[in-house]
Amino acid sequence: MDNTLDIRLAERAPFAGGAAFGLVGAYERLVGRAHLAVDPKGRAERGIVDLERASRNRQGLVELATDLFILKPVDLAKGNRRIFFDYGNRGNKRALQFFNDAPGSNDPASPGDAGNGFLMRRGYAIVWAAWQGDLWPGDGRMVMDVPVARDGERPLTGPVRAEFIADQAGVCSFPLSGVASTRSHPTVSLDTSQATLSRRQYAWDEPSPVPPDRWRFARLERGGGLDGAGTESAVIPSDSHIYLPGGFEPGWIYELVYAGKDPLVLGLGHLVVRDLIAFLKHGDRDTAGNANPLAESGARMAKAYCWGRSQTGRGIRDFIYRGFNEDAAGRPVFDGAFPHVSGGGRMRLNHRFSQPVTHPSEQHEGHLNYADRFPFSYARSTDHLTGETDAILKRPKTDPLVVHTQTGTEYWQRRGSLVHTDTQGNDLEQPDTARVYLWASSQHFADPLLEKPSRGVCQNWSNIVHTSMLFRALLDALDRWATDGVAPPASRIPTRAAKTLATMEEWRTQFPRIPGVGIPREPNRLPLLDYGAEADAGIFTIEPPRDAAPGREYAVLVPAVDADGNDIAGIRVPMVEAPLATYVGWNLRARGFSQGAMHTYVGSTLPLPRTRTETATTGDPRQSLERRYGDREGYAKAVEAAARRLVGDGFMLEEDVPRAVATAISWWHRLAELRG
């Protein structure tokens, strides 16, 4: 039985007020939903966990639907005949923000939402579709409707592990998912004695139990009262919330293990991406008779590329690894893939009681989450702990070309070194179809429009390194690779051979002793944990142990640094090559928030001493700005020279040189404000 697809457009309107983007001309936006029905017994659907447990229609098919949003040239014949699929992130559109330096928006419509117009000037048909089926509507998020898995006429139940960390005092209630935008797995019982809640200050601490009578399955609701009562609050029983009357202590890790019910068949997210892109690339009309919106004016899409960052970068790696890049006709879905800041992980999506919204596994947050498991690399290698041999790229006929990019943060928090080493930390040559690039000394989320860094609950200002020019140059490189066979520049990564990839002990001897600056205890370790015999089939039967036996760990290494503390290897953007600060991919929690543990994906900006006198007075070992550049004009020349070198190396477009210089120079005075 064939799968069906029905694309229903609710809106077709001009984008950016009908403005023309170079020779491509005007763009339009198409908004609607794609309705699919899939055969649970189909060959191409094998491996989707619990698909056979989902409800079916009269034709025996499982139904689902996803939001769809397309920005395309009005005249497709003037475009480049390429699909650019933005996986988004937790339902949010991201591509225009990072490739076009545009403000973040889930409803791009105005000229301002186009930013610098890069993707439009290149002629891409930009496509968004929801793939995460547990998101609630709101804030313009892309949402997807998927069925619940059931055990016949009864609810399907099983163990669920959730984690909560408050970053401010007074937080008393969380959804069980931990995030307001995301559906929780409901608890089978409101009886807290049937669940286990514990707390610990650090991930490596022994947890302390919270007695069942000290918390509830409930939510806290506040609102205006009647008859002069003012603001009232109520504690309402809820199978999808946790309530702690005394509040969650900021920075502490609260872990809840309970019996959940009604898991969604979230693995269908991979299938939606596969079937939708395959249709937009090759189809004429869907099964309902609607014309393919990307096959007008005699144009046909020639290539399809996908991009995702963080959560969705892991989603891309999992999509490829599980074989979803082959459509039902045996053709490649994506010709090129661009996962950014995924680190060494994949997506925990195709599992029972999956929680794709959660932190994937960091030193403090989500440390035990099932996200990083062998294989970590695109290259074939052997797991020295289990003897298993595998690779992410293992289907030459349908695997896409891959450009994998990561920042300093991924080496510290997301085991990024394992992308290009074996499991013991030895350099691992990547296949010819993959490139890996470290964006040196930058952080996980680099806002192209950042005005001022933040501290939040951290000890240092966040990392300010500007990197969006790399997205544009590398997308052009990926397109040349897929179109003309012109390979991108060689991978730029730290290696053991070049002594630019270091153990923690080696890194400690390299990093400068900056007055008043603490350093991490270690990068996020990766022990071999036992998640149960059925984990690879998507069903978790036991909770993972706190730690592994001695020696049962994968090697996690970090980039070696220069005398300033900046990463030596990788692509060094102008702000790193001509630094105003030491820029690192880590930041530490401040006192009162589990002090000293690394905080999520935030990096640090540690300003260099401004003058020779400041250097001498503070004992800072780093060279002052005065001695390096003399003045702002000297700094501007150094930045431009660095930008010109990147253009020559193929990592930057000529159009971005003045932008990079202007951005870097703007920080000359802004950093002075941070010193205060």
Side-chain angles (χ1 to χ4, degrees):
M1 190 179 302
D2 292 334
N3 295 349
T4 67
L5 172 66
D6 177 7
I7 293 179
R8 305 174 190 174
L9 296 179
E11 175 191 331
R12 188 164 194 161
F15 171 68
F21 295 93
L23 298 178
V24 178
Y27 263 64
E28 60 181 344
R29 47 180 259 160
L30 283 57
V31 183
R33 298 210 96 199
H35 296 258
L36 295 90
V38 302
D39 182 1
K41 298 180 180 179
R43 180 192 64 82
E45 285 63 59
R46 291 174 188 167
I48 296 179
V49 172
D50 288 332
L51 181 58
E52 75 283 359
R53 296 177 179 271
S55 60
R56 307 179 191 185
N57 62 19
R58 292 179 181 178
Q59 289 73 42
L61 301 178
V62 175
E63 296 183 346
L64 55 148
T66 180
D67 287 348
L68 178 64
F69 194 111
I70 298 173
L71 293 178
K72 58 173 282 293
V74 172
D75 184 351
L76 281 171
K78 293 182 178 179
N80 65 1
R81 299 173 57 226
R82 275 131 180 80
I83 294 171
F84 182 94
F85 181 70
D86 174 11
Y87 262 82
N89 185 287
R90 294 169 174 84
N92 299 301
K93 301 177 180 69
R94 295 293 194 191
L96 299 186
Q97 183 178 13
F98 286 96
F99 283 84
N100 286 24
D101 290 355
S105 173
N106 281 338
D107 187 28
S110 70
D113 292 330
N116 62 37
F118 170 77
L119 290 173
M120 291 80 181
R121 287 184 281 114
R122 288 296 190 267
Y124 284 100
I126 309 161
V127 178
W128 292 271
W131 58 267
Q132 185 179 336
D134 60 350
L135 293 172
W136 295 118
D139 302 324
R141 280 184 295 276
M142 307 286 289
V143 298
M144 174 183 172
D145 301 329
V146 295
V148 170
R150 294 183 59 82
D151 183 11
E153 297 299 317
R154 299 175 301 176
L156 191 62
T157 64
V160 178
R161 177 182 170 276
E163 189 178 281
F164 315 99
I165 301 176
D167 276 348
Q168 61 183 23
V171 177
C172 296
S173 180
F174 280 100
L176 295 183
S177 67
V179 184
S181 64
T182 307
R183 176 189 184 274
S184 301
H185 299 299
T187 180
V188 170
S189 171
L190 298 182
D191 182 355
T192 56
S193 69
Q194 302 301 307
T196 302
L197 180 65
S198 62
R199 65 192 290 258
R200 62 194 190 277
Q201 185 173 10
Y202 296 103
W204 46 84
D205 284 345
E206 188 67 25
S208 301
V210 179
D213 61 352
R214 300 288 299 275
W215 64 279
R216 298 170 62 181
F217 282 110
R219 73 178 192 273
L220 183 64
E221 193 164 297
R222 290 189 173 93
L226 298 175
D227 198 22
T231 300
E232 296 181 330
S233 63
V235 178
I236 303 171
S238 170
D239 64 1
S240 299
H241 294 78
I242 183 174
Y243 172 70
L244 191 63
F248 293 85
E249 188 166 352
W252 283 58
I253 302 166
Y254 290 77
E255 182 182 288
L256 175 67
V257 179
Y258 67 99
K261 64 180 180 181
D262 296 338
L264 297 170
V265 187
L266 294 180
L268 285 168
H270 283 329
L271 183 145
V272 162
V273 173
R274 182 197 69 190
D275 287 5
L276 177 63
I277 298 302
F279 170 73
L280 293 175
K281 190 176 177 184
H282 301 291
D284 292 314
R285 292 188 176 274
D286 64 22
T287 47
N290 302 306
N292 180 351
L294 298 186
E296 300 171 345
S297 306
R300 172 75 68 185
M301 294 295 108
K303 302 289 181 184
Y305 308 135
C306 63
W307 173 81
R309 58 168 308 282
S310 191
Q311 178 212 38
T312 50
R314 290 185 288 116
I316 290 171
R317 283 163 56 89
D318 199 59
F319 180 91
I320 296 169
Y321 174 72
R322 294 181 181 276
F324 283 97
N325 202 53
E326 178 181 341
D327 70 14
R331 301 165 299 195
V333 176
F334 294 111
D335 302 276
F338 196 157
H340 181 58
V341 295
S342 67
R346 290 186 280 116
M347 175 59 64
R348 182 186 166 186
L349 179 68
N350 191 37
H351 298 88
R352 184 177 295 172
F353 292 108
S354 174
Q355 297 171 303
V357 76
T358 59
H359 288 276
S361 179
E362 299 153 35
Q363 185 185 71
H364 190 70
E365 297 85 356
H367 186 65
L368 296 177
N369 284 350
Y370 186 65
D372 301 337
R373 68 270 193 201
F374 185 82
F376 309 101
S377 180
Y378 302 98
R380 189 173 180 83
S381 64
T382 299
D383 185 333
H384 75 285
L385 298 179
T386 67
E388 180 185 1
T389 297
D390 207 349
I392 292 177
L393 294 179
K394 55 184 177 182
R395 299 175 177 86
K397 291 184 179 179
T398 56
D399 281 339
L401 300 171
V402 174
V403 169
H404 177 108
T405 54
Q406 53 192 24
T407 70
T409 302
E410 283 65 63
Y411 286 82
W412 287 94
Q413 285 278 39
R414 297 292 305 112
R415 292 95 179 221
S417 62
L418 286 166
V419 174
H420 54 82
T421 71
D422 65 18
T423 57
Q424 293 177 290
N426 301 303
D427 295 334
L428 182 63
E429 185 176 355
Q430 297 302 295
D432 291 340
T433 53
R435 293 290 186 273
V436 183
Y437 302 109
L438 161 62
W439 293 9
S441 286
S442 61
Q443 74 170 18
H444 185 83
F445 189 101
D447 183 355
L449 302 179
L450 182 68
E451 291 294 326
K452 183 178 181 180
S454 61
R455 265 207 179 102
V457 300
C458 294
Q459 297 179 17
N460 309 314
W461 292 107
S462 58
N463 190 304
I464 64 171
V465 172
H466 184 82
T467 55
S468 68
M469 73 289 288
L470 302 182
F471 284 121
R472 294 183 279 275
L474 288 175
L475 180 58
D476 277 0
L478 178 60
D479 184 39
R480 286 192 297 270
W481 198 10
T483 303
D484 302 318
V486 178
S491 295
R492 282 205 182 179
I493 49 177
T495 65
R496 295 299 281 166
K499 297 183 178 181
T500 52
L501 189 62
T503 64
M504 187 62 194
E505 292 72 25
E506 292 166 340
W507 183 89
R508 282 196 190 97
T509 68
Q510 300 167 353
F511 195 75
R513 294 180 179 273
I514 305 171
V517 173
I519 63 173
R521 161 180 167 162
E522 59 189 356
N524 187 17
R525 296 163 54 202
L526 183 55
L528 176 65
L529 299 178
D530 183 7
Y531 290 89
E534 297 178 281
D536 286 338
I539 302 168
F540 295 85
T541 56
I542 63 172
E543 284 304 300
R546 293 287 153 197
D547 214 334
R552 302 285 287 173
E553 285 197 12
Y554 299 106
V556 177
L557 306 174
V558 297
V561 295
D562 59 21
D564 293 324
N566 288 318
D567 298 339
I568 296 171
I571 306 172
R572 289 167 56 110
V573 295
M575 288 182 68
V576 175
E577 189 68 8
L580 295 175
T582 296
Y583 306 109
V584 295
W586 48 264
N587 208 327
L588 305 181
R589 286 176 166 268
R591 184 178 298 277
F593 300 95
S594 296
Q595 180 182 8
M598 289 192 295
H599 182 260
T600 61
Y601 308 125
V602 183
S604 300
T605 294
L606 309 170
L608 294 170
R610 197 162 185 83
T611 63
R612 292 178 174 86
T613 303
E614 183 181 339
T615 300
T617 302
T618 62
D620 195 320
R622 301 168 299 166
Q623 194 178 75
S624 69
L625 300 182
E626 180 182 56
R627 186 169 180 181
R628 290 168 193 258
Y629 311 116
D631 54 19
R632 198 184 78 157
E633 285 66 35
Y635 174 63
K637 291 178 181 178
V639 169
E640 182 170 1
R644 295 288 177 195
R645 288 193 293 272
L646 283 183
V647 172
D649 291 342
F651 293 114
M652 191 167 168
L653 305 179
E654 181 66 34
E655 71 176 65
D656 276 319
V657 172
R659 293 189 191 121
V661 173
T663 299
I665 291 175
S666 72
W667 285 104
W668 179 269
H669 294 299
R670 279 190 277 173
L671 271 182
E673 300 174 8
L674 306 186
R675 298 168 184 273

